Amino acid sequence: MRPLDRFSDAARAWFTGAFAAPTAAQDGAWEAIAQGDNTLVVAPTGSGKTLAAFFWSLDRLATTPPPEDPRRRCRVLYVSPLKALAVDIERNLRAPLTGLRQTSQRLGLPEPDVRVSVRSGDTPADERRRFAAKPSDILITTPESLFLMLTSQAREALRGVETVIVDEVHAVAGTKRGAHLALSLERLDALLERPAQRIGLSATVRPVEEVATFLGGPRPATVVQPPHEKEVELEIVVPLEDMTELGQPVDDLSGAAAGEPNRASIWPHVEARVLDLVESHRSTIVFANSRRLAERLSGRLNELSRERAEEGLPEEDVPAEMMAQAGSSRGAPADVVRAHHGSVSKEERAGIEEALKAGRLPGVVATSSLELGIDMGAVDLVVQVESPPSVAGGLQRIGRAGHQVGAVSRGVIFPKYRGDLVQTAVVAERMRAGRIEELRYPRNPLDVLAQQIVAMTGMDEWPVDELETLVRRAAPFATLPRSVLEATLDMLAGRYPGDEFGELRPRLVWDRVAGVLRGRPGAQRLAVTSGGTIPDRGLFGVFLVGDVSVSRASGTTGSRVGELDEEM
């Protein structure tokens, strides 16, 4: 039986009408998912991984009546490492959903009613309350928002979940954020009648066995990794003849007489070449390694574009649409690029993405906010300023260009100085060979464990043995010794190693006779206020348990303060 034969008539008709044939990644994914296995799909950008996971779930939702209990209607949970990626997935689900409805009408079949919701730090309070009261079939969320839901009454809306899709799993697996998510997934399974099937998606990961174990926990995932030959065209450009001259004084009489002498800089050359590339392509993403550089480069490219426009046209010939800047006698042309990063508002990010896709904006200067699988349409070229932060990150970024099945990904890298050139050459060589960095998920991060225990006991009473069983089902804590768990519980219950911790309030009550843990008043709010971020000082600051160090981990996962006010 072909994998596509497992779908309903409407789903099969829509897919064959929209695509020539399933990709190898889709065939393999559907085969494994149909067996009920936890599944890790590893395939290059543009291979249809996300559609493979979602299309299977959409067909099951469309052909299976919803549960009688409306509070158990949510059956598919999609977890994204980025808020922007979550919104993008919701937007791109509209095409297959609309296609299924139209095809069902054409075939005379019942029209499917599949509803989608998004829950992230940007979601308004009324939408969060609406989902808790009347869940949708699919919930798109982030690891932090999932943690907050599990630590509130909103968790009741998750009791019907059957499938969990973890996108870009490599982005979290090797961090404490991933360990936090692994425990949240085990907490979710504890709410369900039977564990949810987990589907992980990744374009760049090594070794795959490590991530398969991380994803599956007690049931390691089946790996689907078809052979692929993703074509990548990569060019390293040094925009001046001699990089040894950088930083040397130059003969320039334009500066102040008493000031520092002007020194040779690579930036004017880089900015001019990058602008040339943006202007010669329909759609370009320029990646920078920091928000500051992204903003500075974006502003400079727009300034340079305006200078070129003014130099090339007499004043009387400047088009009216270029006379847009208030307070300027001649105005200015529209921006050729916009900055896109985590500090940009949700609405502005969405506007920038839509403008790039529609061809109204020639380019975007981005940080890692566009590195993962956000569909930015037909991007012609990716430009990287400075060496990519890693081989895997470089492949992810260059893969934004040619983000379609069989398309070529084209990228240009501009090193900033000689040392950067050496690093760029090494990274580029490894990118061409596909030799990405090895990933290893954290083992027994006790600060993450402590926070999750506070959250769990803030919601329910937990026998210590049951809590240990749940914790050790998560791959990062599979080897957690009982002695270390009890030492962590001692700390949370107020048994501190010295007087310097005496002013700290215990976070839970440990009934050692009954072997039961319960939360203290306010423990739930304490757990959700940090939203996955361990404080720099206080109980989780620096505490040694035998030879295991619970070290500071501020910024481990991002804060979601105040989301639970309406739900607690």
Side-chain angles (χ1 to χ4, degrees), residues 84 87-88 91 282-287 291 294-295 298-299 302 335-367 369-370 374-379:
V87 175
D88 180 76
R91 185 166 52 226
R282 176 187 177 276
S283 180
T284 303
I285 298 180
V286 181
F287 280 104
R291 295 177 183 178
E295 289 284 358
S298 175
N302 289 325
D335 290 343
V336 294
V337 297
R338 296 282 301 279
H340 186 294
H341 51 72
S343 295
V344 176
S345 69
K346 171 187 175 183
E347 294 74 19
E348 189 172 355
R349 285 199 311 266
I352 293 171
E353 293 164 14
E354 288 299 329
L356 186 70
K357 290 181 183 180
R360 299 190 304 271
L361 182 67
V364 170
V365 183
T367 57
S369 59
L370 288 182
I374 299 176
D375 179 13
M376 295 307 299
V379 175

Side-chain angles (χ1 to χ4, degrees), residues 266-338:
I266 198 173
W267 286 111
H269 306 278
V270 170
E271 292 157 359
R273 291 293 298 274
V274 171
L275 183 58
D276 290 340
L277 291 171
V278 171
E279 292 179 338
S280 62
H281 291 82
R282 176 187 177 276
S283 180
T284 303
I285 298 180
V286 181
F287 280 104
N289 292 343
S290 69
R291 295 177 183 178
R292 179 181 178 184
L293 178 57
E295 289 284 358
R296 193 185 85 174
L297 186 57
S298 175
R300 183 59 190 134
L301 291 176
N302 289 325
E303 290 176 6
L304 186 58
S305 175
R306 287 192 284 270
E307 292 172 5
R308 290 183 178 182
E310 292 173 356
E311 291 173 359
L313 285 175
E315 183 171 349
E316 61 272 14
D317 293 338
V318 177
E321 60 269 19
M322 294 170 61
M323 309 290 287
Q325 187 175 17
S328 173
S329 60
R330 295 190 53 192
D335 290 343
V336 294
V337 297
R338 296 282 301 279

Side-chain angles (χ1 to χ4, degrees), residues 178-215:
H180 205 278
L181 174 61
L183 280 176
S184 292
L185 292 178
E186 295 303 332
R187 290 176 61 192
L188 173 66
D189 278 351
L191 294 176
L192 310 178
E193 294 180 358
R194 56 181 175 273
Q197 182 181 25
R198 299 178 188 176
I199 303 172
L201 309 174
S202 179
T204 52
V205 64
R206 185 170 71 98
V208 292
E209 295 79 11
E210 181 87 353
V211 180
T213 300
F214 165 83
L215 176 68

